[in-house]
Amino acid sequence: MKTAAEYEESLRKLNLKVYLQGELVENPVDHPIIRPSMNSVKMTYALAEKSEYQELMTATSHLTGKKVNRFCHLHQSTDDLVKKVKMQRLLGQKTAACFQRCVGMDAINACDSVTFEMDQKLGTNYHERFNKFLLQMQEEDWTVDGAMTDPKGDRGLAPSQQADPDLYVHVVEKREDGIVVRGAKAHQTGAINSHWILVMPTISMGEADADYAVSFVAPADAEGIYYIYGRQSCDTRKLEGGTIDVGNSQFGGHEALMVFDDVFIPWENVFMCGEYEFSGALVERFAGYHRQSYGGCKVGVGDVLIGATALAADFNGVAKATHIKDKLIEMMHLNETLYACGIACSAEGNKTASGNYLINMLLANVCKQNVTRLPYEIARLAQDIAGGLMVTMPSEKDLRNPEIGKVVEKYFVGVSSVPTEDRMRILRLIENLTLGTAAVGYLTESMHGAGSPQAQRIMISRQGNLAQKKELAKAIARIETK
Amino acid sequence: MKTAAEYEESLRKLNLKVYLQGELVENPVDHPIIRPSMNSVKMTYALAEKSEYQELMTATSHLTGKKVNRFCHLHQSTDDLVKKVKMQRLLGQKTAACFQRCVGMDAINACDSVTFEMDQKLGTNYHERFNKFLLQMQEEDWTVDGAMTDPKGDRGLAPSQQADPDLYVHVVEKREDGIVVRGAKAHQTGAINSHWILVMPTISMGEADADYAVSFVAPADAEGIYYIYGRQSCDTRKLEGGTIDVGNSQFGGHEALMVFDDVFIPWENVFMCGEYEFSGALVERFAGYHRQSYGGCKVGVGDVLIGATALAADFNGVAKATHIKDKLIEMMHLNETLYACGIACSAEGNKTASGNYLINMLLANVCKQNVTRLPYEIARLAQDIAGGLMVTMPSEKDLRNPEIGKVVEKYFVGVSSVPTEDRMRILRLIENLTLGTAAVGYLTESMHGAGSPQAQRIMISRQGNLAQKKELAKAIARIETK
Amino acid sequence: MKTAAEYEESLRKLNLKVYLQGELVENPVDHPIIRPSMNSVKMTYALAEKSEYQELMTATSHLTGKKVNRFCHLHQSTDDLVKKVKMQRLLGQKTAACFQRCVGMDAINACDSVTFEMDQKLGTNYHERFNKFLLQMQEEDWTVDGAMTDPKGDRGLAPSQQADPDLYVHVVEKREDGIVVRGAKAHQTGAINSHWILVMPTISMGEADADYAVSFVAPADAEGIYYIYGRQSCDTRKLEGGTIDVGNSQFGGHEALMVFDDVFIPWENVFMCGEYEFSGALVERFAGYHRQSYGGCKVGVGDVLIGATALAADFNGVAKATHIKDKLIEMMHLNETLYACGIACSAEGNKTASGNYLINMLLANVCKQNVTRLPYEIARLAQDIAGGLMVTMPSEKDLRNPEIGKVVEKYFVGVSSVPTEDRMRILRLIENLTLGTAAVGYLTESMHGAGSPQAQRIMISRQGNLAQKKELAKAIARIETK
Amino acid sequence: MKTAAEYEESLRKLNLKVYLQGELVENPVDHPIIRPSMNSVKMTYALAEKSEYQELMTATSHLTGKKVNRFCHLHQSTDDLVKKVKMQRLLGQKTAACFQRCVGMDAINACDSVTFEMDQKLGTNYHERFNKFLLQMQEEDWTVDGAMTDPKGDRGLAPSQQADPDLYVHVVEKREDGIVVRGAKAHQTGAINSHWILVMPTISMGEADADYAVSFVAPADAEGIYYIYGRQSCDTRKLEGGTIDVGNSQFGGHEALMVFDDVFIPWENVFMCGEYEFSGALVERFAGYHRQSYGGCKVGVGDVLIGATALAADFNGVAKATHIKDKLIEMMHLNETLYACGIACSAEGNKTASGNYLINMLLANVCKQNVTRLPYEIARLAQDIAGGLMVTMPSEKDLRNPEIGKVVEKYFVGVSSVPTEDRMRILRLIENLTLGTAAVGYLTESMHGAGSPQAQRIMISRQGNLAQKKELAKAIARIETK
């Protein structure tokens, strides 16, 4: 397995083409806007080095029997599924941000069973190809971007009906040695911090969209691939040079548009090509795993937000007020409700035909549906307790100013035993998580990542077994079924 | 194990003294108001006889290695804890009511570890006595009432401070052969359908309340014990003789006041007598197990309510309306959220010193806290979909009236293919669950059973580890801990 | 104006045909199940006699300049609209039940402007007929049942498409002297306590349903009209003879099915006959007024529930607990939010073409939409504070039993200074309002009365002016409108 | 009255000392971070010039009978109170931001009645002084900063108990010609855009804090006053030069710390000096008026957010999806609920002893309490409908880049008929309102402005008349009051 330092080093060797604010970035690893997101991924390597986190951070490969980073692992039991969630909570606690590497883990777990089932039914050899890639990924300890979401254009139209055929990634040429793909993937989490990309289709497709039913892997710096970095609320505070106003100076996340400008993919890296009837299963399983993920990572970030809020109450001198204590309890209650859902869909997982474990689909969707709601309420309560100063405080530069710095210190003190700077730090962290760069992950991504709320409702409807419930009611009400 | 028929027979042999509506009941088993609750308990025996439910309904005794009803079992693994919740959901689905037997199961599991720890620390021999009782309970397949809640009088005063010393059960005499107890236990679920009673203290106590720190078992018909049956919303509909207006003609639940009028308890049946410092642990663990329980039983009842509501929509001809479908999804989402909490606190359980398994206390309290909220919203949505007819419909007697019965049939038809009677049956079931006898269990008991909401909040506060969360936030905000 | 005594007397003179529990009722006024609802209507007369309530309870007729009961009045100003809401809150406070007379007031106010506009457009003379009836209604101080809701059968089909043509009230014969109508009106609030009935169509209709577009008045005991009384949760407790278990021994509400078995209506009493294009306006305005009403009456009932809950806390000895105080504040906050909506839609009312005042339609629908939610939460909080005893207490007969009455008194005491009976009374009142007869009005009727929630959402959608909001957003975002 | 141009000109003449990001600002009016907030205040002058807004924007002075800007007016009727709310909704719609001038209007209305009552009771002549100031304010059409909130230090300590005596504004010297004050006011809305400051105490005070019970007016650029500008989420985007990424390029709001460094105030400008027993009334009334205000301004901003969200749905091609329509209805429902509260507390206002009108205090607090909740849910729903692109989109500079601008246009198109730039504009506006500079006003200020949620709960508790509600319940339950 790679050390954290080796991970950073390996990224420097990539030849990524990244645009940010209208300019090509020379050195993504050290760019102040990008670097905190790299630090978050790096933490997935760093913690795997520490003995106290071995059980959560690593696993034993079913391919080789060797120890691998859990992010490269196929879940071999419900215990593995539970540990995945606990690892994600841990990383959320340590970074207070999106650590990005989950998409790859969720993608390989989805691809494993779907390629296996494709081969079973169609006689293809996708699963073998996939296993070869997986082996390499485990050996090299790669960070992989599981790339699913296409730009989609008009949501009312299918891929092949769009005015521009490229609004979904598709095969533009099939050659003897491979395929050429064109299009883009939007909202790509951690794309700039990844070694490889695993592309999957984004919706269940019909025959007319067969060219869009394509899945493959490619090196992140393959010829024809480039990135446009997404901007986040308060992103440019990272260019100001301080450590207070950014809220979280060490960690962050990112999303980017990933463009495929006629990229060649050799056949050995292709896992689906036209088998549209399997696109739905791949989408559903990847989404399912990722909906489970949010029952871990968002809970970890929530832990930090709750801790920060409790500190704000301490610093304001109100920690003993009953309504403050009650709101903190409510925040913990909501946060643990999410965790309960993450644990439950894992503990209730099942073995797939290929041998790895799938979460309980109904509960994973219930988990994510709660994630689209409860963090918003947790954030609202955090703002309630923090107080308005969170959004009216002067800047770090004012605090550092030799003349008015003292005035800032004098008037923004809370309880006299706590330095004003510490109070500002904690309030800026709450701002970061509820309005700033991290709110992108803690709130908006909680809403839309792994599928928007309506997607979960459709799944809940399908999985909820209403027919059985009707039979139960008939039995109690003594209604004869004809 | 007893068959369902044997269970009913065994109850007939008891010599219970039960008051109901100001009169002594001759034959509780056949009393029309009581009988449906007996049927619910009976179902815990009936399903244990069926091969398809063996895995959930039975377990292997750690004392004897024999198969026992799971209600008499000490949980030997997290798997046992999970199965307990699934068994409860199943029984909720089959009865749409409180099946009452959980209190005994939760009581024995709490007593096991607490008596063990008492003996370890104090050199007492309570655990041995407890084991003897447990062995008999398993052999006889008894239904046991785990009796905790005292009447409490003025909630602002401790047991020994009350104007009347009997408002909490207490020891009034210690004799060589045993103790004499006085007082009462309120809200006793399933008391009239139980063979034995396992009494526990209801709050954590101090030295001054040592006489109130008492735990013991007694036969339900012991000398000096009598019962006053609690009345429920719509209870007397069961005296009307029909099967529609009662909503659920087969099953129900009950609570009763259980009075101890100087009852003698031999030492071998005493499990705590004055060791007040262990009263808190016993309360907390029993409550913890019982808070887990609600993540199963209420979910099963919820399944029936959701099914009934979906049928009401079918019968009204609105099943395809988008807002109806969306509300049904919401009901399922909320119901499964409760289930997720029930599963999670089980899967995350831990082994106690005595060897049985305890649920994760934080998640069990989170589970119950959600149970104090979500069923109310599910019930509200059920009433939304059912329509106002649920509360304005004529009576069953009107339907059966030779003259106006036809008018009722004519005007209360929904879709023409469904008999009016079926529509009435389903609406009465929804009424039963949201306003009637079953609402007592599905709503008010969801609020107060296993401890009122504030009790869970106190536990969440204690278990939530706010101190660790503050440290996490300090690390992210780069605040040095002094 | 009638005195309360005269009102009761006048009802005795009616020759109503009422079925209840499969039997024809001899004397509805004194029937123990019906009488409490009569008492509620009677209160609308009684308070009008008291000088301190003159301003709210009475108004000056725009027809005669005489003082009339406000329930017979056409609103002449926004001040009248506001006073209507305040009168309703007052009556809710005094009865803790549905006082039923609003439907008539809302019906006459809707009919006034719609008949005027029909005449304006079509040259009919409905408004003159209506005025004649109104004059008499004011002179006689009648209680009028505004009857709108048809049984509706299959909700997916229009009136004329139903398998049975009678599922909506319709004209079966047009004669020179009048019309003959057949069908039924369901959920008729206060029907048995009314002198006259004002029938209106229940939905917006098209040409095919012209025969169903019919509005008229008829004496409540006209030939061919009969009633089947709707049963309510806990209704038969009123037959038990006590005053505790009923919760509210004095007041109640009722709904009934009103059947029109080929009833002849002379032309002078017909206000619409075939003018289907005006059916929508009549429905919308009646519903609008009635949605306003709920911002008054339900708030008054809410006041009683909040008061009862506060007393329960006092009696339990927990009134000073912070969480109790906070929940009572929340209950008041929610209740006053409903009131604010009732006041706002009144204060923002507008003059109609006929001269009376119409509420602000958008805000009236917002008011009712909140009424479908907030009382359920208020009720949930009431149950939280009341404690489980509310549903597990013995019956009044147990309390009165010479032998065990003392036991009931002993063990169900709260703070020692309050008699157990008082505590039982207050808990039974909370039961009554959240599960019993009054829950029918406070909860289910809050949901469905004046139109189910979805009906309000459709109106909010229509009235919300989304197009203007889009223009506002374009101006801010600097998007040019093409 | 001043024209908009004259207003801007008058600001240029002020000699304000403003620090922003550690530097003294040369020209606040043209500073790109400050200017949008000035534009919002300017709109209060601009709309007053337009004939269509005369009724809302202007009023007739009770002092001079001349037309004045409503922001300088004392409310003379409930109609004035209602118009105030409508004016605020209008301005919210036109600026999608905080237009800041309300604090002055609310301050003069509070000071009017309180100074009158002080004079009545104590024989002081504060009201005369106040009237002189008010006359000038109306003549000059000043924008006045109503300054209440002190920094407060340790919330657990009274002003005189703080470690630093300056954490609340206080009198440090009383001279023959006036007083000298020291301290600061935090979160000062619109301070940099104001001509004068009206200082009020921030809490109800006791005798020990008499020196802190001080109210006065001062020119915004008085000797010894300086400002430190508060930073907002995404504030520096305004320095980037574009019009898209800022979301709202024209309007904004601001808060600042206002420091009083031994400022001299002549007696004629002092309205309270030591009369601590009136500090509570002044706080309560100012807060009351300001809680009403939020029922207007936030609703107007909400209108823009709803409009923007509806456009986002149009541009995404999902406007016809039922769940989208339903969420837009919910947003309107919630927004109008706030408006209903704003209208209701106005329509139910009362005349004060001094002759101006006070809102209904209970309903104003209910209004604000809802404002601390519903905008957060509206914002959550906006993010739901907008989609994740809102936080992952590239920057304006990427769109303008000659090379990759086309790629951005290609891949971020929605429905093909709408330019990508328009889609980006609308998404950036939603970002602005839910995470960016405007979220500070729409969310966090909705929480804390005019008092934090707990402050309203205390007022609801005091105003809710629980004692009367208990009497109502006793009457219904037939409990005799001793």
Side-chain angles (χ1 to χ4, degrees), chain C residues 356-431:
Chain C
N356 76 339
Y357 272 68
L358 190 63
I359 64 293
N360 177 300
M361 279 300 219
L362 175 57
L363 295 180
N365 278 281
V366 165
C367 177
K368 174 67 212 307
Q369 183 76 185
N370 280 321
V371 171
T372 68
R373 301 174 178 180
L374 310 192
Y376 283 85
E377 177 63 6
I378 293 171
R380 194 185 73 84
L381 290 167
Q383 291 199 354
D384 181 345
I385 293 176
L389 191 57
M390 193 191 96
V391 294
T392 68
M393 248 187 316
S395 69
E396 189 167 356
K397 285 177 185 157
D398 293 306
L399 178 70
R400 301 298 182 216
N401 179 291
E403 193 180 345
I404 60 160
K406 282 172 206 156
V407 179
V408 172
E409 275 187 8
K410 176 184 175 77
Y411 285 117
F412 293 112
V413 76
V415 293
S416 55
S417 58
V418 172
T420 296
E421 182 176 323
D422 284 1
R423 190 172 177 227
M424 290 177 76
R425 285 188 176 277
I426 233 39
L427 293 176
R428 284 290 177 218
L429 174 55
I430 297 174
E431 184 199 29

Side-chain angles (χ1 to χ4, degrees), chain C residues 206-321:
Chain C
E207 199 171 352
D209 298 318
D211 286 345
Y212 295 85
V214 60
S215 175
F216 58 85
V217 283
D221 56 356
E223 180 69 30
I225 296 181
Y226 58 92
Y227 305 86
I228 309 179
Y229 203 82
R231 89 171 302 181
Q232 299 182 326
S233 173
C234 300
D235 48 5
T236 52
R237 286 200 194 172
K238 288 183 277 191
L239 302 174
E240 295 177 7
T243 64
I244 299 177
D245 285 4
V246 286
N248 182 346
S249 59
Q250 309 161 79
F251 305 103
H254 76 240
E255 275 91 20
L257 183 77
M258 175 191 291
V259 182
F260 296 87
D261 193 2
D262 288 359
V263 178
F264 172 72
I265 312 292
W267 281 116
E268 60 177 10
N269 287 345
V270 177
F271 304 156
M272 178 185 288
C273 185
E275 296 83 0
Y276 59 86
E277 68 271 37
F278 282 88
S279 59
L282 192 48
V283 171
E284 240 172 56
R285 289 187 204 173
F286 172 74
Y289 282 119
H290 210 48
R291 288 165 196 180
Q292 169 208 25
S293 289
Y294 282 24
C297 65
K298 303 302 181 196
V299 179
V301 178
D303 286 330
V304 178
L305 181 53
I306 294 167
T309 307
L311 284 174
D314 290 349
F315 295 178
N316 289 347
V318 296
K320 285 180 185 159

Side-chain angles (χ1 to χ4, degrees), chain B residues 315-374:
Chain B
F315 294 178
N316 289 346
V318 295
K320 286 178 185 160
T322 323
H323 75 97
I324 298 289
K325 284 194 276 190
D326 195 60
K327 285 165 190 164
L328 286 166
I329 290 171
E330 184 65 17
M331 292 169 82
M332 290 191 285
H333 167 66
L334 297 173
N335 203 39
E336 297 295 338
T337 297
L338 299 180
Y339 185 57
C341 294
I343 292 295
C345 70
S346 306
E348 290 291 294
N350 285 297
K351 199 172 189 168
T352 68
S354 67
N356 76 339
Y357 273 68
L358 190 63
I359 65 292
N360 177 300
M361 279 300 217
L362 175 57
L363 295 180
N365 278 282
V366 165
C367 177
K368 173 69 210 309
Q369 183 78 183
N370 280 320
V371 171
T372 68
R373 300 173 179 182
L374 309 193

Side-chain angles (χ1 to χ4, degrees), chain A residues 1 8 47 51 75 97-98 119 183 194 196 200 228 242 271 311 324 342 378 404 410 424 442 445 476:
Chain A
M1 300 190 311
E8 182 174 339
L47 293 186
S51 58
H75 317 299
C98 174
D119 290 1
S194 300
W196 277 72
M200 299 162 285
I228 310 180
F271 304 156
L311 284 174
I324 297 289
I378 294 171
I404 60 160
K410 175 184 175 78
M424 290 177 76
Y442 188 58
E445 195 197 278
I476 297 291

Side-chain angles (χ1 to χ4, degrees), chain D residues 235-305:
Chain D
D235 48 5
T236 51
R237 285 199 193 172
K238 288 185 276 192
L239 302 175
E240 295 177 7
T243 65
I244 299 176
D245 285 3
V246 285
N248 183 347
S249 59
Q250 307 161 80
F251 305 105
H254 76 240
E255 275 91 20
L257 182 78
M258 176 192 289
V259 181
F260 295 89
D261 194 3
D262 288 0
V263 177
F264 172 72
I265 312 291
W267 282 115
E268 61 177 8
N269 289 343
V270 176
F271 304 156
M272 178 185 287
C273 185
E275 295 83 1
Y276 59 85
E277 69 272 37
F278 282 88
S279 60
L282 192 48
V283 171
E284 240 171 56
R285 290 187 203 174
F286 172 73
Y289 282 120
H290 210 49
R291 287 165 196 180
Q292 169 208 27
S293 289
Y294 282 24
C297 66
K298 303 301 181 197
V299 179
V301 178
D303 286 329
V304 177
L305 180 54

Side-chain angles (χ1 to χ4, degrees), chain B residues 22 187 376 383 392 398 448, chain C residues 22 187 372 376 383 392 398 448:
Chain B
H187 323 298
Y376 284 85
Q383 292 200 354
T392 69
D398 293 305
H448 293 290
Chain C
H187 323 299
T372 68
Y376 283 85
Q383 291 199 354
T392 68
D398 293 306
H448 293 290

